[in-house]
Amino acid sequence: MPEVTVRYWAAAKAAAGVAEEAYEATTLAEALDAVRERHAGELERVLRRCSFLVDGDPVGTRAHETVRLADGGTVEVLPPFAGG
């Protein structure tokens, strides 16, 4: 199973209490399920408003179950930013 680094930004970083961490997941949906399991509470609420980059590419409206993850890849968790 691929190991990916999940990086949290702004409110997601504050809610997770860490800047990044490793997860084993095949799809973005699996990675986010693991994140929710590890960080129940505030981060779950923040994730509902986030956008995601996988290896630098925006996920956009694609179903998270269809977004495959590569071993050594990164998932960026980006909450809405004021003014941006």
Side-chain angles (χ1 to χ4, degrees):
M1 184 171 291
E3 184 171 309
V4 298
T5 299
V6 176
R7 291 188 182 133
Y8 305 103
W9 297 96
K13 180 178 173 182
V18 296
E20 65 181 46
E21 53 195 355
Y23 286 92
E24 289 187 351
T26 303
T27 66
L28 178 58
E30 289 176 7
L32 294 177
D33 286 346
V35 166
R36 288 180 187 98
E37 187 175 314
R38 190 179 291 176
H39 299 284
E42 180 65 14
L43 185 56
E44 290 180 90
R45 186 185 68 76
V46 172
L47 286 175
R48 285 186 232 129
R49 298 182 40 99
C50 288
S51 58
F52 304 96
L53 299 176
V54 173
D55 296 331
D57 294 323
V59 171
T61 60
R62 288 183 288 161
H64 295 169
E65 297 81 17
T66 67
V67 179
R68 308 286 296 173
L69 302 177
D71 192 43
T74 59
V75 174
E76 308 279 344
V77 180
L78 305 167
F81 291 94

